[in-house]
Amino acid sequence: MRTCEAGAAPWPTKVFPSGPAGARDRMVSALAARVGADGAVRDPCGSRVL
C-alpha cells in the first residue's frame, strides 16, 4: 500500500535537519536492495520475520 507517490517526501524537507538525509537515503537503499520481486523483504537471518 502506498500513501504517497513513489519518491515523494511525506513532509517538506525544510522541517528536517540536513544531516540525517544521508543516513535516511542509505537506509532506504539498503532496504530496497532486500525487497524481492514479490514485494517481500528478504532478511538473511532466518530467525526473524519482517
Side-chain angles (χ1 to χ4, degrees):
M1 176 171 83
R2 291 191 184 272
T3 57
C4 61
E5 293 182 32
W11 298 281
T13 54
K14 66 182 179 180
V15 299
F16 295 103
S18 61
R24 179 190 175 277
D25 291 343
R26 289 190 302 273
M27 289 187 333
V28 168
S29 294
L31 178 61
R34 294 186 356 225
V35 175
D38 61 355
V41 175
R42 305 291 177 213
D43 190 352
C45 177
S47 66
R48 293 181 288 168
V49 176
L50 298 178

